[in-house]
Amino acid sequence: MASIVNSFAISAVEAYLVDVEVKTINGQPMIAIVGLGDTAVKEARERVEAAINDSRYVFPQKKVVINLAPSDLKKSGSHFDLAIAIGLLMETGQLVLQKAERFGIIGELSLNASLRACSGILPMVTAARAAGVKNVIVPMDNLKEATLVKDIDIFGFESLMDVVEFLKGNKPYNQEHNRSKSDQIKGLDELDFKDVQGQDGLIEYIVVAAAGGHNLLMIGSPGCGKSMIAKRIPTILPSMTLDTGGRRFCVRCFAKESRKVSKRGRFFLCQPYFSNGGHKRTVPLCALPCAHPCAHPN
């Protein structure tokens, strides 16, 4: 019988449950991953083999077949690594896990078996709760993001060995210690309007726009402080609700931005954020069509 581990996949801005089925059969040693996975999924075989060997577990010298069910839906991302590794250890008897269906497992493995942050954690944990999964294991860098979903137990780890020892019951989970680590992910470069000097008139207009929810257009020569002030506008806006902030962040997960936000320590789900399109995507004002009827006399 194949070993089955719960994981998740992203579809648009939502996630759904995926059964990671692992089976070893007699044959030439190889790993076959089926289930419409993209290149990142296919490359999991090298990462998983290196991580298992580095953690001093035994990688099976048999043919290994891994199926990501449902097999007719496309899957992408490197977050299946940890689930595949746990399934292999279960299949080879190196890990005995009772009621594996109670756990959802998400995480990308490095070649030295450490866990890296993944994109799409928030929608995946939300899907786990909807599917009745009671416990979710995530990389430590994603712990703060995952714990925003209520009524589900989240466990953050830094390596494959830590996860296996926890599932074996040999290492109790230190919730307070790990939460304190996740708190260190907070941004070290928080901005404040007190840094702005000598722009009293502009600040007054910004306060009015922020209070009333109005649009604002700043025009000026390069270096006069437009972007500097714009980056500080979110700090005076009211926090978004968890529902609105969650939807916004799910969109950022789809855009592959959540890993970057979490890793750099700027993850605040309900705080409005500044998005810089970059100078290469700036549209000259003269190129914008004018909606005033007098602008088009013909």
Side-chain angles (χ1 to χ4, degrees), residues 16-263:
Y16 59 91
L17 185 67
V18 171
D19 290 335
V20 179
E21 304 171 346
V22 181
K23 181 68 175 178
T24 57
I25 57 179
N26 293 327
Q28 183 178 2
M30 62 169 293
I31 304 177
I33 301 179
V34 297
L36 291 183
D38 67 353
T39 303
V41 176
K42 300 293 185 182
E43 291 176 347
R45 51 193 172 210
E46 280 77 20
R47 293 191 296 269
V48 170
E49 182 175 2
I52 288 179
N53 290 331
D54 192 81
S55 300
R56 300 179 183 176
Y57 299 110
V58 179
F59 193 85
Q61 297 301 310
K62 293 183 176 181
K63 182 177 181 180
V64 179
V65 180
I66 300 165
N67 180 41
L68 306 179
S71 302
D72 58 339
L73 297 177
K74 292 184 178 180
K75 303 166 189 72
S76 61
S78 57
H79 59 275
F80 295 106
D81 293 2
L82 182 58
I84 292 173
I86 295 299
L88 270 171
L89 295 178
M90 292 171 57
E91 179 68 12
T92 55
Q94 300 177 76
L95 170 63
V96 178
L97 180 59
Q98 301 295 335
K99 297 182 178 180
E101 66 276 3
R102 296 187 306 175
F103 287 89
I105 300 178
I106 307 167
E108 175 187 334
L109 286 171
S110 68
L111 298 184
N112 61 1
S114 62
L115 290 176
R116 291 195 173 110
C118 303
S119 299
I121 291 293
L122 184 63
M124 286 191 282
V125 175
T126 303
R129 184 181 63 180
V133 178
K134 302 298 183 182
N135 311 282
V136 178
I137 293 174
V138 299
M140 181 61 69
D141 287 339
N142 292 122
L143 180 60
K144 186 173 180 62
E145 176 185 348
T147 52
L148 291 167
V149 180
K150 306 302 180 184
D151 302 323
I152 189 170
D153 294 326
I154 307 296
F155 304 93
F157 296 96
E158 296 181 333
S159 68
L160 172 62
M161 185 173 293
D162 291 340
V163 176
V164 175
E165 291 300 310
F166 166 73
L167 293 176
K168 286 182 176 180
N170 298 336
K171 185 176 180 180
Y173 184 73
N174 191 336
Q175 185 173 5
E176 295 301 324
H177 175 67
N178 289 333
R179 288 290 174 85
S180 65
K181 283 188 177 181
S182 71
D183 289 341
Q184 296 174 5
I185 300 172
K186 278 192 173 182
L188 301 177
D189 55 347
E190 295 185 30
L191 305 176
D192 198 299
F193 257 111
K194 68 181 180 180
D195 301 330
V196 181
Q197 303 292 329
Q199 298 281 5
D200 297 338
L202 178 58
I203 290 177
E204 183 178 353
Y205 289 122
I206 289 175
V207 170
V208 172
H214 306 298
N215 296 323
L216 183 68
L217 175 63
M218 290 185 287
I219 301 175
S221 58
C224 67
K226 301 185 301 297
S227 297
M228 180 191 68
I229 295 176
K231 291 177 181 178
R232 287 159 174 78
I233 293 178
T235 64
I236 63 173
L237 292 174
S239 298
M240 294 184 291
T241 64
L242 185 60
D243 181 62
T244 304
R247 291 180 180 179
R248 181 211 74 182
F249 199 79
C250 285
V251 173
R252 301 193 74 184
C253 291
F254 179 68
K256 304 297 183 182
E257 292 185 19
S258 65
R259 186 202 323 243
K260 176 176 63 177
V261 173
S262 296
K263 193 69 175 178

